[in-house]
Amino acid sequence: MTDNTSPSPSVFVHPTADVEEGAQVGEGTKVWHLAHVRSSARVGAGCVIGRNVYVDANVTVGDRVKIQNNVSVYQGVTLEDEVFVGPSAVFTNDFRPRAQNPDWTITPTVVRRGASIGANATLVCGIEVGEYAMIAAGSVVTRDVAPYQLVAGNPARPKGWVDEKGEVISRDVANPPRRD
């Protein structure tokens, strides 16, 4: 909505935020200061879109997602339900970025349900982050992350396994714990 009014009574859009006409914003979602949600973006119910967050065209954000301040979620990125994106995390969508490239294509990235991305982490496009995975702050993720896997570093490497609450339950990177 170009006039920054709430799409429904239960959606809060801060007066400085820009939710373009045609954007879909779910019930109970809060869009904070200076955020920008593009017209073909879909943001689910019960989300928090922090200060200075950019949600690009054609992006899908699931329900109960929290995107902290200063994050840009570019075309090609899908955030499933209950994903946490820490402050200043970075998503890319182009393997070979150039200022002038008429042949560039969007390379998708998928972050599965319940995964957490730490502050200042960078996710190189073309990867999948498994459900409830945990990416440590400052990591540079260049390949897929398995469900419930903890990764850290530059490049990010496996450091163990977490449960649905984010608690480390094993440091044996080669053997994921059984899930019954």
Side-chain angles (χ1 to χ4, degrees), residues 31-114:
V31 181
W32 288 101
H33 305 75
L34 303 171
H36 185 175
V37 180
R38 296 285 310 274
S39 64
S40 55
R42 292 183 313 233
V43 178
C47 295
V48 177
I49 307 299
R51 180 185 177 95
N52 197 38
V53 168
Y54 176 72
V55 180
D56 202 358
N58 303 313
V59 164
T60 299
V61 176
D63 296 335
R64 298 170 306 283
V65 171
K66 186 171 189 177
I67 304 173
Q68 296 282 55
N69 299 350
N70 303 312
V71 174
S72 292
V73 185
Y74 294 113
Q75 282 191 63
V77 175
T78 299
L79 304 177
E80 291 187 350
D81 295 346
E82 299 172 355
V83 166
F84 174 86
V85 182
S88 302
V90 175
F91 293 95
T92 67
N93 68 356
D94 186 355
F95 273 129
R96 293 169 196 85
R98 294 285 187 233
Q100 297 296 319
N101 181 0
D103 299 326
W104 84 280
T105 58
I106 293 171
T107 303
T109 297
V110 177
V111 181
R112 298 286 180 203
R113 177 187 181 99

Side-chain angles (χ1 to χ4, degrees), residues 102-142:
D103 299 326
W104 84 280
T105 58
I106 293 171
T107 303
T109 297
V110 177
V111 181
R112 298 286 180 203
R113 177 187 181 99
S116 292
I117 300 166
N120 294 304
T122 298
L123 281 74
V124 175
C125 58
I127 63 168
E128 180 174 319
V129 177
E131 66 180 3
Y132 296 100
M134 177 84 62
I135 297 170
S139 297
V140 177
V141 184
T142 60

